[in-house]
DNA sequence: TTGTATGCAAATGTTTTGCAGAGCC
DNA sequence: GGCTCTGCAAAACATTTGCATACAA
């Protein structure tokens, strides 16, 4: 029981510091810190996978924020590089905190929709390097994988 | 997007044979060959880059086919692997003929929307291999890159 | 205080669905 | 002939925009 409580506590702390990191990244980029934005990044800091606007909205305190504000906040945070977007071709945009050094991608099951992370991405070392040499600026990418997972097969 | 019309016989022949390949691939997969589908694959056989439903519709003979039919045909052909889909996060799905052995991806300019092909894809040799080992079936992917191109910079 | 962010309502744009008639195999 | 495909209309869906008010810096 006590251990359980401790673990819980440490997770909470870890999330708090993740949120703090995000907020200071926002300050750096001159993005105003507002109530809704604070809540949104808190939800994303806790998330284990990319979330859609609707999903994020559903995880916010009822009545605290509008769905439109979620859309606007996500767009802003993505533009400024605080978040990154995944797109699995189902017409829904999902967002996650963008890790600065490395990041991973996901396989999405076409049948049940489950997500599983794929190992680190080699994109930066390969394609992005070539494109930058060609004169492209601000190169970003999304690699999205669809398949049929073990249990749906 | 600029479309060059070429009078050379060899190009016409080349396109015709590309269409034939596509049609026989459809027959193999028991997909019925209808007027609209024939026209749609002909447009895609000629295309130099992925096209959206709307763009394909615009290239069809006026009045010959409905936009809804274009959507349905593309969905069917993508599901069966005859076409592949690109998604640049702008809310529009684009399709191109899926090459069996190798294929390439595109950089899209966030500012002017221009597309440029990236070299061959190493996905099959790397990530897909790992996923298949893990038990995933029918692994497909899309890698979409956004950047600011030389002339827009 | 000043410019930016928010909430609400309504619009937009793409893609999907229902259904009766037409067309492929 | 049977079953699928098509066209038209209308719906569904995610996302965006306009504008008056509320709020962060």
């Amino acid at each position: 029981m006590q251990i359980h409580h401790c673990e819980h506590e440490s997770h909470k702390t870890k999330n708090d510091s993740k949120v703090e990191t995000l907020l200071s990244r926002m300050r750096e980029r001159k993005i105003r810190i507002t109530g809704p934005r604070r809540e949104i990044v808190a939800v994303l800091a806790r998330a284990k996978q990319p979330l859609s606007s609707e999903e994020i909205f559903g995880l916010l305190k009822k009545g605290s924020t509008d769905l439109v504000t979620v859309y606007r906040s996500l767009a802003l945070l993505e533009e400024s590089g605080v978040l990154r977007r995944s797109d699995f071709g189902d017409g829904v945009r999902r967002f996650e905190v963008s890790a600065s050094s490395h990041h991973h991608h996901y396989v999405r099951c076409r049948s049940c929709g489950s997500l599983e992370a794929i190992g680190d991405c080699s994109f930066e070392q390969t394609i992005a390097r070539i494109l930058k040499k060609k004169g492209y600026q601000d190169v970003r990418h999304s690699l999205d994988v669809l398949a049929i997972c073990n249990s749906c097969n």
Side-chain angles (χ1 to χ4, degrees), chain A residues 93-130:
Chain A
R93 296 172 185 181
R94 277 165 252 261
F95 295 84
E96 66 184 327
V97 171
S98 65
S100 46
S101 53
H102 67 290
H103 66 266
H104 45 270
H105 296 279
Y106 298 87
V107 210
R108 181 185 169 85
C109 176
R110 246 193 297 278
S111 169
C112 69
S114 69
L115 288 178
E116 184 182 341
I118 302 176
D120 287 359
C121 178
S122 64
F123 181 87
E124 294 303 333
Q125 277 69 55
T126 56
I127 298 171
R129 195 189 206 89
I130 295 166

Side-chain angles (χ1 to χ4, degrees), chain A residues 9-103:
Chain A
E9 200 63 14
S10 79
H11 277 208
K12 190 163 196 269
T13 309
K14 199 175 150 203
N15 272 331
D16 284 354
S17 77
K18 200 168 174 185
V19 172
E20 274 318 311
T21 307
L22 288 168
L23 293 178
S24 61
R25 222 183 278 175
M26 286 167 68
R27 278 184 209 104
E28 275 170 30
R29 288 157 216 220
K30 306 268 191 294
I31 295 172
R32 284 198 181 171
I33 310 234
T34 66
R37 288 179 187 170
R38 198 184 286 274
E39 287 192 54
I40 290 165
V41 298
V43 165
L44 284 168
R46 247 179 275 131
K48 305 256 183 314
Q49 55 180 238
L51 300 177
S52 68
S53 302
E54 202 85 44
E55 287 166 333
I56 292 167
F57 181 64
L59 291 170
L60 296 172
K61 277 193 306 254
K62 297 282 170 208
S64 71
T65 306
D66 192 75
L67 178 58
V68 174
T69 299
V70 177
Y71 272 102
R72 285 197 266 230
S73 302
L74 293 174
L76 181 71
L77 292 171
E78 197 250 333
E79 253 172 67
S80 63
V82 177
L83 301 181
R84 50 180 276 104
R85 187 166 73 190
S86 297
D87 210 312
F88 294 96
D90 62 351
V92 179
R93 296 172 185 181
R94 277 165 252 261
F95 295 84
E96 66 184 327
V97 171
S98 65
S100 46
S101 53
H102 67 290
H103 66 266

Side-chain angles (χ1 to χ4, degrees), chain A residues 126-145:
Chain A
T126 56
I127 298 171
R129 195 189 206 89
I130 295 166
L131 291 177
K132 280 170 189 164
K133 223 167 247 175
K134 276 190 160 181
Y136 281 95
Q137 308 248 320
D138 197 16
V139 179
R140 296 186 203 171
H141 72 288
S142 73
L143 168 63
D144 300 307
V145 186

